Amino acid sequence: MAKKKILIVEDDTTLAKALAYEFQQQDFEVASAMDGIEGLQLAESMLPDLILCDIAMPKMDGLTMLSKLREASWGKGIAVIMLTNFSDEQKVMEALSQQAFDYLVKSDWDLSQIVAKVKERLGV
Amino acid sequence: MDSREIKDQPIFPDNLEEHKAIYNSLQEKLKVIFDSLVRDKINLELQVIESKKFRLAVESASDHIIITDPDGTIIYANRAVEKVTGYTYDEVVGKTPGKLWGGHMPKDFYAKMWETIKVKKETYKGEVNNVRKNGDPYTAEINVSSVSDEDGQLVFFVGIERDITKEKEVNQMKNEFVGLVSHQLRTPLTGIRWFVELLLRNQEGNLLPAQLDFLKQISDSNQRMIGLVNDLLDISHLETGHKFDVVRKNFVFDSLIQEVLRDNIVLITNKNLQIVNEIPKTLLVFADYAKLKQVLQNLVSNATKYTLEKKNIWLSVKTDIEKGLVFTVRDEGIGIPRDQLSRMFEKFFRADNASSQDPNGNGLGLYIARGIVRAHGGDMWVTSEENQGTCFFFSLPIVSAKDQKIDNEVKK
């Protein structure tokens, strides 16, 4: 079976590195972007199965990226999980209204739990 | 014969003695009256001094004080009124506060205030948003009492206001700062969490037991720090006044209990504690699942932490006409010293015996738990006997299906 493709959009290099390492270990095909603009470009070229997307990022934040993704014909169906370190901000509500489906507060989750959540979402 | 009768009578040598006696008695009476008048005069002077003293005290108090007639028309205002509101004494006397600085709150706020002071004749305490003469808004803590005469007839109202605008601004800034710092702290804490998790897996199998133990210690400290940051964020949300974002839905309370018990299973098993769950399995509640879980988690984890081995912990619920559902978490633990009971819900407060039992607690859990319950419209309280056990209660108002619908629509 082909590897599932995951795109990590996270501007904090430490966190991005941990996530990429973990998903590679778990046999995913992983690509990483540092901001929303890069994230959209990569998403269009690789068409990932799922995007893990940070909210606060330079150049283009995660929510703007998400709405642009949903506007594009190729991006409508891609599963997205928003990563945040804000807990009950308006922003999270906005993300939910755009059907990002899931969001999680990074500091409350282990890597293994994030992997479990992604797998559940992808049905693998 | 009294003094009136003798007035017109001629005085004869034979009734001279009688007249003398009457005049003496009159003189005595006059003396008594004179003495009493002197005393009254002194008393009056004292009263004037006394009332001057009170007037001066009221006049120069830093809080804004007004006296109104039973209809709310101002009959007296102290100097602070001008200082706070910008309106002079002459501008306020004869008018109602609503025509001056007040009248900016929703109608039901004033309705409730009037009912408290005029109908129930109780003191009204609250926070109110007013506007100064120059148009600047300000926030005040108000305290309005009714004053009645001996017959219980309302004579006037005394209103005391304290301008807390600055205080609120400082508090707001403090909370926003805490919020900001906490969010910033979460990113590096996440980095530590994730890389320690990777190391702890010891994938290459080359880490020594001592090294793994050290990593476990780092992980524990990191978790504590994350917990503290989460608590500080909760507090900053609770205290910035934007009410806790309570997202209510109907759920089976038992699923929440089971989740909480699972989270505490290690301590429950290690201490051989017996959990007696008397809450009906089918009980439905309308509340914010995640936040209510935080409340129960806090109470259950406290109960397991502070209860000695092989003891019981009871979970129960009953209905109360006024309060709605009243849940209890009762333990047979170390209890709370009587003199510290009233401080249990204070921020950062920890009872002496709790600190010795669990030195790592931060004293924020109960403060937040009560805040969450209050954001749901309920309340939390506690009873305890040292060395016997503690019982925490929290109430949730019962929400009718109609109001549940309204609540959901408001959220949308």
Side-chain angles (χ1 to χ4, degrees), chain A residues 52 81-86 102-107 109 113-114 117, chain B residues 194:
Chain A
L52 281 174
I81 296 178
M82 299 305 285
L83 302 176
T84 168
N85 263 338
F86 293 89
D102 277 320
Y103 81 90
L104 50 90
V105 175
K106 287 180 268 190
S107 60
W109 289 66
Q113 293 169 321
I114 298 176
K117 181 136 190 154
Chain B
W194 289 352

Side-chain angles (χ1 to χ4, degrees), chain A residues 12 14-15 17-19 21-22 25-26 85-89 93 105-114, chain B residues 183 186-195 197-198 201 203 223 226 230 233-234 237 243-245 247 291:
Chain A
D12 186 278
T14 306
L15 302 192
K17 189 173 176 177
L19 286 168
Y21 178 85
E22 175 72 349
Q25 289 277 308
Q26 298 292 327
N85 263 338
F86 293 89
S87 42
D88 80 339
E89 294 293 298
M93 292 304 181
V105 175
K106 287 180 268 190
S107 60
D108 288 342
W109 289 66
D110 284 333
L111 288 169
S112 59
Q113 293 169 321
I114 298 176
Chain B
H183 284 307
R186 272 179 164 174
T187 302
L189 286 169
T190 311
I192 298 171
R193 175 176 189 145
W194 289 352
F195 281 103
E197 180 192 350
L198 291 173
R201 287 184 198 163
Q203 233 155 9
Q223 293 284 8
I226 290 170
N230 287 347
L233 274 170
D234 279 346
H237 290 143
K243 226 176 172 185
F244 240 31
D245 230 349
V247 187
K291 295 212 159 63

Side-chain angles (χ1 to χ4, degrees), chain B residues 94-209:
Chain B
K95 298 208 182 74
T96 62
K99 294 258 180 293
L100 301 158
W101 53 83
H104 302 276
M105 300 292 284
K107 273 202 179 100
D108 50 337
F109 171 88
Y110 298 105
K112 199 178 154 204
M113 182 180 91
W114 278 107
E115 171 166 320
T116 311
I117 56 175
K118 209 163 182 173
V119 183
K120 295 186 188 159
K121 292 192 176 153
E122 287 170 0
T123 300
Y124 181 84
K125 283 181 188 165
E127 217 176 275
V128 57
N129 296 322
N130 290 333
V131 176
R132 297 183 223 276
K133 191 183 173 187
N134 66 8
D136 287 347
Y138 71 98
T139 308
E141 220 167 60
I142 61 164
N143 184 317
V144 191
S145 320
S146 60
V147 178
S148 304
D149 60 17
E150 289 103 346
D151 307 325
Q153 204 63 33
L154 189 63
V155 239
F156 47 74
F157 294 116
V158 181
I160 305 175
E161 267 192 33
R162 171 168 295 170
D163 185 349
I164 53 164
T165 316
K166 262 255 135 52
E167 230 172 283
K168 289 204 68 127
E169 275 170 10
V170 170
N171 216 21
Q172 179 88 5
M173 272 162 62
K174 186 197 81 191
N175 278 313
E176 275 166 11
F177 175 75
V178 169
L180 194 76
V181 169
S182 308
H183 284 307
Q184 298 296 330
L185 280 172
R186 272 179 164 174
T187 302
L189 286 169
T190 311
I192 298 171
R193 175 176 189 145
W194 289 352
F195 281 103
V196 170
E197 180 192 350
L198 291 173
L199 278 174
L200 269 169
R201 287 184 198 163
N202 194 14
Q203 233 155 9
E204 307 296 325
N206 57 356
L207 290 175
L208 299 170

Side-chain angles (χ1 to χ4, degrees), chain B residues 164-408:
Chain B
I164 53 164
T165 316
K166 262 255 135 52
E167 230 172 283
K168 289 204 68 127
E169 275 170 10
V170 170
N171 216 21
Q172 179 88 5
M173 272 162 62
K174 186 197 81 191
N175 278 313
E176 275 166 11
F177 175 75
V178 169
L180 194 76
V181 169
S182 308
H183 284 307
Q184 298 296 330
L185 280 172
R186 272 179 164 174
T187 302
L189 286 169
T190 311
I192 298 171
R193 175 176 189 145
W194 289 352
F195 281 103
V196 170
E197 180 192 350
L198 291 173
L199 278 174
L200 269 169
R201 287 184 198 163
N202 194 14
Q203 233 155 9
E204 307 296 325
N206 57 356
L207 290 175
L208 299 170
Q211 291 171 325
L212 285 169
D213 178 52
F214 294 168
L215 283 170
K216 182 82 183 53
Q217 305 302 324
I218 296 175
S219 171
D220 288 349
S221 299
N222 179 246
Q223 293 284 8
R224 263 176 59 201
M225 191 97 132
I226 290 170
L228 180 63
V229 165
N230 287 347
D231 285 352
L232 288 174
L233 274 170
D234 279 346
I235 288 178
S236 115
H237 290 143
L238 274 172
E239 291 184 355
T240 33
H242 334 127
K243 226 176 172 185
F244 240 31
D245 230 349
V246 176
V247 187
R248 272 180 267 219
K249 58 174 190 186
N250 271 306
F251 62 86
V252 179
F253 195 72
D254 193 59
S255 59
L256 192 146
I257 298 178
Q258 298 310 325
E259 226 181 292
V260 169
L261 292 181
R262 265 200 303 280
D263 289 349
N264 289 281
I265 196 70
V266 178
L267 213 50
I268 293 172
T269 318
N270 287 351
K271 284 184 156 182
N272 215 340
L273 300 171
Q274 189 67 36
I275 308 288
V276 187
N277 178 10
E278 292 167 349
I279 299 177
K281 296 261 179 285
T282 51
L283 178 72
L284 265 183
V285 297
F286 183 67
D288 186 312
Y289 187 91
K291 295 212 159 63
L292 206 60
K293 188 188 158 193
Q294 207 177 330
V295 173
L296 195 71
Q297 167 66 29
N298 179 276
L299 298 181
V300 170
S301 101
N302 278 347
T304 53
K305 243 186 270 177
Y306 303 121
T307 299
L308 305 178
E309 293 189 359
K310 293 180 187 154
K311 297 273 187 189
N312 295 326
I313 293 169
W314 287 269
L315 306 177
S316 60
V317 68
K318 61 176 176 131
T319 47
D320 180 281
I321 295 172
E322 274 176 29
K323 297 190 180 82
L325 292 171
V326 178
F327 294 89
T328 54
V329 177
R330 183 161 67 91
D331 66 48
E332 297 181 305
I334 57 175
I336 301 162
R338 190 177 293 260
D339 60 324
Q340 297 181 359
L341 203 55
S342 62
R343 303 187 57 195
M344 286 317 290
F345 298 102
E346 274 177 31
K347 202 164 32 173
F348 292 112
F349 179 78
R350 302 201 66 213
D352 294 338
N353 53 353
S355 311
S356 53
Q357 198 82 6
D358 172 32
N360 291 341
N362 63 23
L364 295 174
L366 284 171
Y367 176 79
I368 296 168
R370 190 180 62 173
I372 292 175
V373 173
R374 285 186 172 174
H376 278 84
D379 206 358
M380 184 181 275
W381 62 100
V382 60
T383 58
S384 184
E385 239 359 282
E386 211 175 346
N387 299 319
Q388 301 284 317
T390 301
C391 188
F392 277 97
F393 301 81
F394 67 94
S395 61
L396 285 180
I398 294 171
V399 184
S400 70
K402 196 177 117 213
D403 290 340
Q404 288 182 12
K405 220 174 138 213
I406 292 168
D407 190 78
N408 282 330

Side-chain angles (χ1 to χ4, degrees), chain A:
Chain A
M1 203 173 78
K3 284 185 178 181
K4 289 282 182 192
K5 289 184 285 186
I6 189 159
L7 170 62
I8 296 162
V9 190
E10 164 67 68
D11 67 317
D12 186 278
T13 49
T14 306
L15 302 192
K17 189 173 176 177
L19 286 168
Y21 178 85
E22 175 72 349
F23 279 96
Q24 272 156 5
Q25 289 277 308
Q26 298 292 327
D27 221 24
F28 282 81
E29 185 183 323
V30 180
S32 301
M34 299 277 288
D35 58 66
I37 293 177
E38 201 189 336
L40 271 180
Q41 287 166 353
L42 263 175
E44 188 172 5
S45 62
M46 77 180 279
L47 296 176
D49 296 291
L50 186 142
I51 302 175
L52 281 174
C53 187
D54 186 20
I55 292 186
M57 288 184 295
K59 291 182 192 167
M60 183 194 284
D61 67 50
L63 293 172
T64 315
M65 180 188 146
L66 179 66
S67 67
K68 289 197 182 299
L69 184 80
R70 292 302 186 226
E71 279 166 23
S73 55
W74 52 267
K76 278 195 174 68
I78 300 176
V80 177
I81 296 178
M82 299 305 285
L83 302 176
T84 168
N85 263 338
F86 293 89
S87 42
D88 80 339
E89 294 293 298
Q90 192 65 33
K91 288 178 175 181
V92 174
M93 292 304 181
E94 275 175 42
L96 285 174
S97 72
Q98 289 173 346
Q99 285 135 32
F101 192 84
D102 277 320
Y103 81 90
L104 50 90
V105 175
K106 287 180 268 190
S107 60
D108 288 342
W109 289 66
D110 284 333
L111 288 169
S112 59
Q113 293 169 321
I114 298 176
V115 169
K117 181 136 190 154
V118 166
K119 284 184 173 169
E120 179 198 315
R121 185 75 197 278
L122 294 175
V124 291

